[in-house]
Amino acid sequence: FRGTSPSKLIQQEWDDFFAKNGPDAVLLQYCHSQGAIHVRNALIDYPEELRKRIIVVAIAPAAYISPDICREVHHYVSSRDFVPYFDVRGRAECKDTIHYLKADKNAGIWDHSFNSPTYESIIQEHFEKYKQL
């Protein structure tokens, strides 16, 4: 059981979303850095029929999320960020879901921020695709 306080809060948000949006709703969940750990833990302990309706976009993840525990997952890693390399096993297991991006010229030396220009278009692109569902 991985029911940490952050993962329980995430699950409560998901419960509210699915209760308000009906049985066919799909949720787009962004997460960043340590947030990917919390989202992964929340997914592990969440009902399968609901987690299969969650799309995850993980920016600069501190841990990787298996595509087996959600509808789909996309991990994004900047060329100037070391944090996503800590989870060696997860990176190997999720290699088909990882997108390596060249750091934007205006990004910081350590390109780890969710607000980095490296990730702006990717975040928007996933939102536009989600609106089409």
Side-chain angles (χ1 to χ4, degrees):
F1 179 75
R2 300 172 193 267
T4 62
S5 293
S7 67
K8 289 177 185 175
L9 289 172
I10 292 167
Q11 289 173 340
Q12 287 173 0
E13 290 294 320
W14 294 344
D15 288 343
D16 291 346
F17 173 86
F18 289 123
K20 289 176 187 169
N21 293 283
D24 297 323
V26 175
L27 182 137
L28 175 61
Q29 175 69 60
Y30 291 101
C31 55
H32 170 257
S33 195
Q34 184 181 14
I37 296 170
H38 298 311
V39 168
R40 179 195 61 195
N41 291 346
L43 284 164
I44 288 169
D45 288 337
Y46 205 57
E48 182 177 5
E49 66 275 5
L50 295 175
R51 70 181 189 219
K52 292 297 182 182
R53 293 167 39 201
I54 299 173
I55 299 168
V56 179
V57 176
I59 304 296
Y64 293 90
I65 298 167
S66 171
D68 296 336
I69 62 171
C70 56
R71 179 179 176 130
E72 61 186 78
V73 61
H74 305 273
H75 299 96
Y76 291 95
V77 176
S78 169
S79 60
R80 291 201 313 253
D81 187 10
F82 59 87
V83 171
Y85 291 90
F86 291 149
D87 182 9
V88 175
R89 186 166 136 215
R91 196 175 76 228
E93 291 173 358
C94 298
K95 66 182 184 289
D96 295 335
T97 68
I98 303 171
H99 309 276
Y100 295 94
L101 305 175
K102 182 179 182 211
D104 186 272
K105 64 181 168 97
N106 296 316
I109 296 297
W110 178 33
D111 190 19
H112 186 68
S113 172
F114 183 83
N115 294 325
S116 166
T118 302
Y119 302 114
E120 282 179 9
S121 64
I122 291 300
I123 291 168
Q124 186 63 34
E125 179 182 314
H126 279 283
F127 180 69
E128 294 301 326
K129 285 181 185 176
Y130 175 71
K131 289 191 319 186
Q132 302 302 316
L133 293 178

